[in-house]
């Protein structure tokens, strides 16, 4: 005699969803946080990200400054929009995906520090990674980026 004979053939009934509504509060935030979302300083320093290929191609003919860790391109958009935009490019020549992603994270952190405060308003800023940028010290990269932005400023 098999054990399957002792199981019920009746299927369980589907449960209906509860009709209790959820509160309109973000459960990830504690109630004691005095700073409302959107007014934090790190959000004020955010740069808009460039993702369209046409914007990268347009910036290719812009002013450029090469350092041993990266190449910085700055293109004035002249469209009346005052936002600073950032694009990052790291090719496969630099290394594998782990190395390229580490470099992009460092570039984003550098841009938050330098370009958000000292970059040109209404311009596209493109950082192109170079092989020497992987081993360079973060403070050295930051100083290089500050000098490059100051040199390309009109």
């Amino acid at each position: 005699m098999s054990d399957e004979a002792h199981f019920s053939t009746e299927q369980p009934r589907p449960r209906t969803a509860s009709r209790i509504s959820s509160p309109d509060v973000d459960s990830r935030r504690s109630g004691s946080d005095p700073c409302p979302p959107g007014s934090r300083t790190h959000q004020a320093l955010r740069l808009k990200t460039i993702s369209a290929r046409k914007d990268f191609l347009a910036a290719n003919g812009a002013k450029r400054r090469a350092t041993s860790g990266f190449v910085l391109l700055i293109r004035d958009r002249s469209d009346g929009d005052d936002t600073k935009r950032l694009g990052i490019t790291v090719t496969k020549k630099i290394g594998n995906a782990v190395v390229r992603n580490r470099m992009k994270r460092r570039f984003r952190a550098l841009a938050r520090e330098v370009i958000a405060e000292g970059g040109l308003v209404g311009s596209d800023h493109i950082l192109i990674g170079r092989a020497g940028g992987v081993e360079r010290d973060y403070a050295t990269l930051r100083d290089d980026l500050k000098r490059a932005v100051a040199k390309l400023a009109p």
Side-chain angles (χ1 to χ4, degrees):
M1 190 163 166
S2 104
D3 290 335
E4 293 179 12
H6 299 290
F7 290 120
S8 172
T9 58
E10 187 176 325
Q11 296 292 324
R13 299 170 80 193
R15 289 188 173 182
T16 59
S18 64
R19 295 186 182 242
I20 299 172
S21 64
S22 62
D24 292 336
V25 178
D26 188 359
S27 62
R28 295 172 290 183
R29 289 186 61 217
S30 66
S32 64
D33 191 4
C35 188
S39 66
R40 301 187 193 287
T41 57
H42 72 296
Q43 288 180 347
L45 297 178
R46 278 191 89 166
L47 299 166
K48 188 173 178 187
T49 304
I50 299 173
S51 59
R53 184 173 189 269
K54 65 179 178 78
D55 294 330
F56 282 95
L57 292 175
N60 195 27
K63 297 184 283 187
R64 64 181 57 223
R65 178 76 175 164
T67 67
S68 59
F70 58 86
V71 176
L72 175 66
L73 308 173
I74 297 181
R75 179 181 78 96
D76 183 20
R77 289 191 311 271
S78 301
D79 60 357
D81 187 10
D82 288 342
T83 59
K84 299 174 191 173
R85 299 193 317 176
L86 173 69
I88 297 173
T89 301
V90 181
T91 65
K92 287 185 178 181
K93 290 187 218 178
I94 304 301
N96 63 9
V98 174
V99 172
R100 293 192 312 266
N101 288 333
R102 182 184 317 133
M103 190 172 225
K104 287 188 267 188
R105 282 193 303 272
R106 292 178 84 189
F107 282 163
R108 281 191 291 270
L110 284 168
R112 280 191 296 268
E113 287 183 33
V114 178
I115 294 176
E117 295 175 2
L120 302 177
V121 176
S123 297
D124 290 342
H125 302 77
I126 309 290
L127 282 169
I128 303 170
R130 296 178 86 180
V134 176
E135 297 90 20
R136 289 184 66 89
D137 184 44
Y138 183 81
T140 307
L141 283 174
R142 183 179 50 230
D143 293 340
D144 288 346
L145 184 58
K146 284 181 182 178
R147 280 194 297 269
V149 168
K151 183 84 170 178
L152 294 176

